Amino acid sequence: MHFHVIDRNHWHRKPYFEHYWHHSRCTFSMTANLDITTIRLEVKRQNMKLYPVLLYMLSTVVNRHREFRTCMDSEGRLGYWDWMSPSYTIFHEDDTTFSSIWTLYSEEFHMFYRRYLDDLDRYGSIKGLMTKENEPPNTFPVSSIPWVNFSSFNLNIYNEGTYLLPIFTMGRYKERDGRTLLPLAGQFHHAVCDGYHAGLVYNELQGLADTCEHWLTHY
């Protein structure tokens, strides 16, 4: 992994960053339904888990666009990672707590899926907030609320609005008119991306879901 420092004086987003960082710092949320009818059937046919498939899809879209990999590094420099991995929550039913673990991303789905299964087997029963050690700085957060088919979700972070990476939250999918719809909320920082970029997330995720037969190979 490599962190590329941005030269703000030659950055096309400089005026937008300056405005939404210094003058009107803000984040925004967007929630939309993903039609996962096809991919859910394919996952069921191959006896696979849906959660890691969705994590792979999110990671693939995030890694396609620099705007979703832009953040401040440990030295306070603005830049972007060349690629990112998901840091995601898992639920412990016995005491209703959750843990956050991460899985190294791979462009090859079957490789990512195997890594997920290995991580789940090793860390899935360990209690605590962060249970997989040595999480790298180039991760982005994903969580799931599978008990609620929400139509809107807003995450409020009280850190002076300095967290620039996207944050994703999945809800409970619902059957409607023969389709399976999954609510997905995204939290974005306006300093590094706009509504257009948020729209790319949902449109490209839907594209991946609709064409899953081409990339969803059995592990």
Side-chain angles (χ1 to χ4, degrees):
M1 63 180 177
H2 181 70
F3 187 78
H4 305 267
V5 177
I6 293 175
D7 180 357
R8 299 190 196 183
N9 292 325
H10 297 89
W11 187 32
H12 72 288
R13 283 200 63 89
K14 179 182 177 180
Y16 305 93
F17 181 85
E18 295 291 334
H19 179 74
Y20 290 114
W21 185 259
H22 295 296
H23 305 296
S24 183
R25 188 173 298 182
C26 71
T27 63
F28 64 95
S29 299
M30 182 179 294
T31 302
N33 283 321
L34 293 178
D35 186 336
I36 61 169
T37 307
T38 301
I39 202 165
R40 183 171 170 236
L41 291 173
E42 186 65 18
V43 165
K44 184 177 182 180
R45 184 182 72 83
Q46 297 196 37
N47 195 31
M48 302 174 74
K49 297 179 181 295
L50 180 61
Y51 192 34
V53 174
L54 297 172
L55 291 173
Y56 172 81
M57 291 168 55
L58 281 169
S59 302
T60 297
V61 173
V62 164
N63 282 310
R64 285 177 179 175
H65 302 283
R66 183 181 301 179
E67 289 80 8
F68 305 132
R69 293 177 278 116
T70 300
C71 61
M72 298 290 186
D73 70 358
S74 59
E75 300 178 25
R77 300 176 300 175
L78 179 69
Y80 61 94
W81 295 105
D82 48 4
W83 56 275
M84 303 197 75
S85 297
S87 176
Y88 52 92
T89 57
I90 54 175
F91 185 67
H92 305 294
E93 293 188 3
D94 58 343
D95 62 0
T96 67
T97 62
F98 72 91
S99 299
S100 180
I101 63 177
W102 58 276
T103 293
L104 187 67
Y105 175 70
S106 171
E107 291 183 354
E108 297 183 41
F109 168 74
H110 71 279
M111 179 64 71
F112 176 81
Y113 191 81
R114 288 174 180 170
R115 289 173 178 173
Y116 170 89
L117 293 181
D118 289 343
D119 287 331
L120 189 65
D121 181 64
R122 182 172 180 181
Y123 302 101
S125 61
I126 301 176
K127 302 297 178 60
L129 182 58
M130 312 290 287
T131 52
K132 182 180 177 182
E133 67 278 5
N134 301 319
E135 179 170 333
N138 60 326
T139 60
F140 68 97
V142 183
S143 61
S144 177
I145 307 177
W147 310 277
V148 183
N149 180 253
F150 56 73
S151 59
S152 179
F153 182 86
N154 184 54
L155 184 66
N156 302 297
I157 301 177
Y158 297 99
N159 67 345
E160 300 181 352
T162 60
Y163 190 82
L164 297 175
L165 295 173
I167 304 172
F168 298 103
T169 306
M170 307 175 194
R172 180 177 183 175
Y173 59 73
K174 182 178 182 180
E175 303 289 343
R176 188 173 68 192
D177 299 326
R179 312 304 294 176
T180 304
L181 304 178
L182 174 80
L184 175 69
Q187 190 86 5
F188 307 93
H189 202 297
H190 216 342
V192 295
C193 67
D194 309 315
Y196 166 78
H197 304 100
L200 289 176
V201 170
Y202 296 94
N203 291 332
E204 293 186 10
L205 284 173
Q206 190 61 63
L208 286 171
D210 293 341
T211 60
C212 61
E213 295 95 338
H214 300 297
W215 56 267
L216 187 61
T217 56
H218 197 285
Y219 67 94

